[in-house]
Amino acid sequence: MMRLSSFALKSDRFSKRIKLVVPPKSHYNNFSQLRNVMNLSITKTKFTKAADVVIPDIFNRRLQTGIARIDDNLGGGFLPGAVGCLTGSAGSGKTTMLLQIMEGLAKQNYKVGYISGEEAVEQLANTCKRIGVDEVEICNETKTEEIVKFTKDFDMLVIDSFQALESKHSDTSSRRHEMFSIQELVKAAKKNECTICIVLHLTKSGQYKGNTSVIHSVDFNIQLLREFVEGQPDQHVNMFTLKNRFGPTGECTLLLTGTGYDFDYEKPADEGKAHTGKGNRKQAEMDMIMQLDKNSITLKDALTKIEDAQRASFILRELTITGKLDKTGRGVKAVYTKVG
């Protein structure tokens, strides 16, 4: 049986309580500074031929949103119990996308919840009204230990955002808190077959905030890139599936409107000129990076040619994928060496 429990909602202007249906009731990452092991409840086994391993039925089941572009991009939908991240700069449409995805799942009779530590439910509900989201359950909660309990009763949860989370380790060490939080969320997701998608913010340099334990622990990582034309945000948003343990990786371009994403949008033939211009811009930026008078390039070097850090990181990534650069290292310390 589930019960009604009250949660405090706090913002700069108000504090009140609402009712939400909820359940009735240290090991850390392998960083050189901490000689501990990430504890994700993975059982030790002996060597076995892959063909002899019995694959659980869960790997044949998917939570389908009913949105073809999302389901196809993930390899047929979300795997039950998978944990992933959605990243992107401010204004790239992260909240809008996740609310629409959760609405799609709700319409398929999945129980879904959106947990916000950054917007009061009234603000979130106002966004939902604007983009036509009605069935998603929303609440304010930031305690990792409380969110873990929700996994018993929900098919999928969104946590917005990881940076807003608190735990029993919040007052001791940020690294210890981050590693504890992601470990507990991953273990609960697997145990209760509850898919979790975490919003993860980027720094001004386009890198992930905090340590890399989250990115290493999750099963999928999706990044949104919204381009700016003459200082104004473009309606087109590039969605990159950078990591996917249970399906393909890839990218697609989506249209973001005032009422949310138009996932059925197809580029009309007469828009070719505009998109050709964007293609020329990308090629021009790639050429500028390759023309830098040095064999090894860093993000700082790229920023001398491309002012936006996320855009610069994107161009460096494209050059690496196409084999023109070879990447070593991670984050802002990564070095990109010219090939050939």
Side-chain angles (χ1 to χ4, degrees):
M1 292 289 293
M2 294 189 299
R3 61 183 174 83
L4 287 176
S5 179
S6 60
F7 285 84
L9 304 185
K10 298 181 180 179
S11 74
D12 293 335
R13 292 183 295 177
F14 57 87
S15 175
K16 67 178 187 178
R17 306 187 75 83
I18 64 169
K19 297 292 184 178
L20 174 70
V21 177
V22 297
K25 48 182 186 169
S26 310
H27 298 277
Y28 305 99
N29 209 355
N30 187 20
F31 290 93
S32 58
Q33 301 94 326
L34 298 174
R35 300 179 63 85
N36 295 315
V37 178
M38 176 65 89
N39 177 13
L40 300 178
S41 293
I42 298 176
T43 304
K44 294 181 180 180
T45 62
K46 296 180 180 179
F47 279 107
T48 307
K49 288 184 178 179
D52 295 334
V53 176
V54 178
I55 301 175
D57 177 64
I58 191 173
F59 290 101
N60 299 316
R61 292 187 273 120
R62 297 277 176 163
L63 278 66
Q64 295 189 331
T65 67
I67 303 171
R69 284 191 173 177
I70 297 298
D71 292 336
D72 293 345
N73 206 262
L74 291 167
F78 294 97
L79 191 80
V83 179
C85 287
L86 180 71
T87 64
S89 58
S92 57
K94 300 184 294 295
T95 299
T96 298
M97 174 174 284
L98 288 172
L99 284 171
Q100 288 185 262
I101 287 174
M102 298 294 269
E103 180 75 358
L105 289 169
K107 289 180 178 179
Q108 307 299 319
N109 296 319
Y110 291 110
K111 184 174 177 61
V112 297
Y114 196 105
I115 304 167
S116 179
E118 301 189 356
E119 293 184 77
V121 288
E122 289 84 354
Q123 294 172 282
L124 203 56
N126 189 53
T127 299
C128 290
K129 181 179 180 180
R130 174 173 59 82
I131 63 178
V133 170
D134 300 313
E135 302 300 323
V136 179
E137 297 186 39
I138 60 177
C139 82
N140 291 123
E141 180 57 75
T142 57
K143 286 288 187 181
T144 299
E145 294 88 344
E146 293 300 317
I147 293 173
V148 163
K149 298 175 184 178
F150 296 166
T151 62
K152 298 177 182 179
D153 288 283
F154 283 84
D155 294 304
M156 183 166 177
L157 293 170
V158 165
I159 300 173
D160 187 4
S161 65
F162 190 76
Q163 281 73 26
L165 289 181
E166 302 172 291
S167 76
K168 62 183 181 181
H169 297 296
S170 297
D171 297 331
T172 56
S173 163
S174 60
R175 175 166 294 177
R176 191 178 185 188
H177 156 67
E178 289 179 13
M179 290 188 288
F180 169 81
S181 293
I182 191 60
Q183 288 169 19
E184 293 303 300
L185 291 170
V186 169
K187 288 190 289 185
K190 307 299 181 190
K191 178 181 178 181
N192 299 315
E193 295 188 10
C194 175
T195 303
I196 297 177
C197 188
I198 304 168
V199 175
L200 188 64
H201 293 314
L202 300 176
T203 65
K204 291 182 179 179
S205 63
Q207 307 301 315
Y208 303 116
K209 281 191 176 181
N211 64 60
T212 56
S213 59
V214 178
I215 296 300
H216 291 161
S217 302
V218 298
D219 302 305
F220 62 88
N221 181 19
I222 298 172
Q223 184 168 341
L224 301 182
L225 175 64
R226 189 177 187 183
E227 297 188 29
F228 284 74
V229 180
E230 297 180 353
Q232 297 298 317
D234 194 353
Q235 281 189 294
H236 298 90
V237 178
N238 295 317
M239 183 178 78
F240 302 95
T241 304
L242 303 177
K243 174 183 180 180
N244 190 359
R245 286 174 175 160
F246 308 117
T249 59
E251 63 181 85
C252 65
T253 300
L254 304 170
L255 182 69
L256 180 58
T257 73
T259 56
Y261 281 93
D262 180 358
F263 290 109
D264 296 322
Y265 167 80
E266 295 291 345
K267 181 184 68 175
D270 59 0
E271 284 195 19
K273 185 176 293 185
H275 281 262
T276 299
K278 290 173 69 175
N280 289 341
R281 175 195 173 192
K282 175 180 171 182
Q283 186 58 54
E285 290 172 332
M286 293 173 72
D287 291 340
M288 285 192 295
I289 298 300
M290 294 303 294
Q291 288 167 7
L292 285 168
D293 189 22
K294 48 178 59 181
N295 190 52
S296 296
I297 301 167
T298 64
L299 177 61
K300 185 177 180 180
D301 296 324
L303 286 171
T304 63
K305 298 295 183 180
I306 305 171
E307 294 183 0
D308 180 76
Q310 189 179 5
R311 180 71 185 182
S313 297
F314 166 68
I315 294 299
L316 289 170
R317 173 180 172 273
E318 290 296 293
L319 287 168
T320 303
I321 291 174
T322 55
K324 295 181 180 179
L325 294 177
D326 183 31
K327 178 183 177 183
T328 56
R330 298 191 183 97
V332 294
K333 295 182 179 181
V335 176
Y336 301 82
T337 305
K338 293 179 181 178
V339 176

